[in-house]
């Protein structure tokens, strides 16, 4: 599978990894700190495996996205993509800070309501919305439904009409641009299941005006995830801008464009996507069209705000060319390495580990699947079982 390019350069050292993850630091006495809090203390108090989410990091990163848009002179609403992490505390923070939510299921919608995010600030995306989910969303009065096909448009119209409601909709366009990311998280190519073919969009938008129960306001696009350059964004937004101009020239109103999510982060030694560059791409292509704009970031704000704490169950090395370090966390706690061969940093909690020599180590979970592997040949100091 190995769809992510297998890195040919050396892995970053522990110090280099810390440098690209500024919310993490080390202390000679307490070891690894997250937002200044010793992670050892959390592991001792709560046990492992355990996810730690940093409200400060999440707040700061969302704030940086908002500031980037404002500084570019853009009025852009930010809808946090709930699928990136749907913990109620995360959603409550998102709501309290005045952001909206982008959801892809009825369950996610229920969680936003529990967390106090106004339905008006919720955008319903996704390629497979069930009738029951649409009834729930339209009944609640969600702010926007991003429709992904002609078939879905008819269903939304019928459900809204039956409920005596007007559903605000955009058409999600498949711009057929390559986001140059992992094949499993590319969504904006014509061959992908997502969105309405670009060439059908103008006619379908005109058709939407004639259907009952609908308030068509514009277009949406989302070309993929873990995008690290602005070129694919510019290409996609240029196509959407072209569509807006065409549709307006035919006499129809277009008020809103939803610019999607997808900005990438640094896992290994990538330079993370810059919200300021994203804002620049939006401004360059869509800034002068007098549109209500929005974005749907998930990974960028929340990814660096979470760490998975795990203990070593066993170090297994007798008769083996490389030691296996068996953790109490597994693929069910974090599936990305098993699913995408994704590279995640592994940092020891103990302070003394940072001065020790490193050696190639396999780091695995205890599940009965060989895919339950976090890292192979990772250069790590000697990790040993937590004393019991
Ligand atoms: C997944 C998704 C997002 C968020 O993507 P990130 O890469 O996490 O920013 C936004 N919009 C839609 C429609 C999505 O499916």
């Amino acid at each position: 599978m190995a769809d992510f390019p297998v890195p040919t350069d050396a892995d970053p050292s522990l110090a280099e990894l810390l440098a690209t993850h500024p919310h993490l630091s080390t202390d000679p006495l307490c070891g690894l700190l997250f937002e200044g809090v010793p992670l050892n203390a959390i592991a001792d108090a709560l046990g492992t495996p355990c996810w730690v989410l940093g409200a400060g990091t999440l707040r700061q990163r969302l704030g940086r996205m908002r500031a980037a848009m404002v500084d570019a002179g853009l009025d852009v609403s930010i809808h946090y993509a709930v699928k990136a992490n749907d913990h109620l505390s995360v959603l409550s923070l998102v709501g309290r800070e005045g952001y909206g939510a982008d959801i892809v299921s009825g369950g996610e919608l229920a969680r936003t309501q529990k967390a106090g995010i106004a339905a008006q600030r919720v955008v319903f995306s996704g390629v497979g919305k069930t009738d029951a989910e649409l009834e729930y969303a339209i009944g609640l009065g969600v702010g926007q439904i991003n429709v992904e096909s002609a078939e879905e448009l008819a269903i939304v119209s019928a459900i809204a009409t039956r409920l005596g409601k007007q559903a605000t909709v955009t058409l999600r366009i498949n711009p057929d641009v390559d986001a140059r990311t992992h094949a499993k998280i590319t969504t904006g190519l014509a061959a992908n299941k997502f969105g309405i073919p670009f060439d059908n969009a103008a006619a379908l938008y005109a058709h939407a005006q004639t259907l009952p129960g609908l308030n068509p306001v514009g277009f949406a696009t989302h070309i993929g995830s873990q995008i690290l350059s602005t070129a694919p964004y510019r290409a996609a937004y240029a196509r959407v801008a072209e569509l807006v101009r065409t549709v307006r020239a035919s006499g129809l109103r277009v008020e809103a464009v939803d610019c999607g999510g997808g900005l990438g982060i640094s896992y290994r030694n990538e330079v993370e996507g810059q919200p300021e560059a994203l804002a620049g791409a939006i401004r360059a292509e869509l800034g002068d069209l007098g549109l209500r704009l929005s974005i749907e970031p998930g990974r960028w704000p929340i990814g660096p705000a979470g760490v998975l704490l795990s203990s070593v169950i066993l170090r297994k090395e007798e008769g083996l060319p490389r030691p296996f370090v068996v953790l109490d966390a597994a693929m069910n706690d974090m599936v990305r390495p098993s699913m995408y061969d994704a590279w995640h940093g592994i940092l020891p909690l103990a302070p003394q580990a940072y001065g020790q020599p490193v050696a190639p180590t396999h780091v695995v979970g205890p599940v009965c699947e060989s895919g339950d592997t976090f890292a192979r040949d990772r250069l790590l100091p000697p990790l040993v079982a937590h004393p019991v």
Side-chain angles (χ1 to χ4, degrees):
M1 182 180 83
D3 285 334
F4 270 132
V6 176
T8 50
D9 53 339
D11 281 342
S13 67
L14 301 186
E16 287 164 339
L17 206 48
L18 285 165
T20 52
H21 294 77
H23 44 285
L24 291 166
S25 56
T26 52
D27 175 272
L29 284 180
C30 303
L32 191 62
L33 311 178
F34 181 41
E35 294 187 7
V37 178
L39 287 170
N40 253 325
I42 298 178
D44 287 344
L46 298 177
T48 59
C50 147
W51 276 99
V52 181
L53 298 173
T57 305
L58 175 59
R59 204 179 284 118
Q60 183 228 321
R61 292 178 74 84
L62 283 168
R64 183 167 153 206
M65 291 193 119
R66 179 187 265 162
M69 299 300 153
V70 171
D71 291 350
L74 297 170
D75 181 14
V76 178
S77 340
I78 299 180
H79 299 108
Y80 167 72
V82 173
K83 75 167 186 276
N85 187 310
D86 66 358
H87 197 286
L88 286 177
S89 303
V90 168
L91 300 184
S92 301
L93 183 151
V94 164
R96 276 198 313 278
E97 299 277 318
Y99 304 98
D102 176 75
I103 56 145
V104 291
S105 72
E108 287 185 1
L109 178 54
R111 294 176 80 77
T112 63
Q113 296 312 286
K114 224 172 161 174
I117 299 176
Q120 189 50 51
R121 305 187 79 124
V122 174
V123 174
F124 193 0
S125 301
V127 72
K129 310 174 185 79
T130 67
D131 288 4
E133 287 171 328
L134 284 169
E135 276 167 27
Y136 176 33
I138 295 168
L140 269 180
V142 296
Q144 182 176 306
I145 299 176
N146 293 347
V147 170
E148 297 230 5
S149 62
E151 292 83 353
E152 186 182 287
L153 191 69
I155 294 167
V156 172
S157 166
I159 292 175
T161 305
R162 174 151 43 81
L163 296 177
K165 300 265 189 181
Q166 283 279 112
T168 298
V169 298
T170 71
L171 301 187
R172 175 172 174 182
I173 304 311
N174 186 323
D176 196 18
V177 302
D178 187 353
R180 282 178 253 149
T181 182
H182 187 288
K184 292 194 180 179
I185 53 176
T186 288
T187 60
L189 284 171
N192 300 139
K193 69 182 173 182
F194 299 97
I196 292 156
F198 184 83
D199 292 340
N200 298 12
L204 191 62
Y205 192 72
H207 177 60
Q209 319 289 321
T210 69
L211 294 178
L214 298 183
N215 174 28
V217 294
F219 299 99
T221 194
H222 171 73
I223 54 173
S225 196
Q226 186 58 8
I227 299 169
L228 293 169
S229 72
T230 48
Y233 282 118
R234 283 202 66 156
Y237 299 155
R239 298 216 80 188
V240 174
E242 176 195 334
L243 185 60
V244 170
R245 292 194 179 95
T246 306
V247 166
R248 282 180 173 170
S250 75
L252 297 176
R253 251 176 345 117
V254 181
E255 297 160 32
V257 166
D258 182 337
C259 299
L263 200 61
I265 61 176
S266 179
Y267 289 96
R268 188 169 173 273
N269 52 12
E270 310 88 337
V271 175
E272 73 173 6
Q274 303 292 309
E276 297 75 15
L278 175 62
I282 294 173
R283 185 178 59 184
E285 303 298 342
L286 295 162
D288 59 1
L289 292 174
L291 294 160
R292 258 190 299 116
L293 296 167
S294 55
I295 55 171
E296 307 165 342
R299 181 196 310 263
W300 199 89
I302 194 69
V307 294
L308 174 60
L309 299 187
S310 179
S311 303
V312 176
I313 295 177
L314 186 74
R315 186 180 176 87
K316 179 178 168 181
E317 54 191 333
E318 243 184 75
L320 295 167
R322 289 268 192 279
F324 282 96
V325 166
V326 185
L327 302 182
D328 61 359
M331 60 196 291
N332 54 297
D333 299 298
M334 189 176 68
V335 76
R336 298 187 71 256
S338 308
M339 196 167 157
Y340 308 127
D341 293 328
W343 196 101
H344 279 258
I346 298 173
L347 291 165
L349 299 196
Q352 59 274 17
Y354 287 85
Q356 290 174 338
V358 295
T361 308
H362 301 322
V363 181
V364 301
V367 167
C368 302
E369 296 265 350
S370 291
D372 186 24
T373 296
F374 288 115
R376 294 186 66 80
D377 296 318
R378 186 68 59 87
L379 291 174
L380 288 168
L383 301 175
V384 292
H386 200 266
V388 279

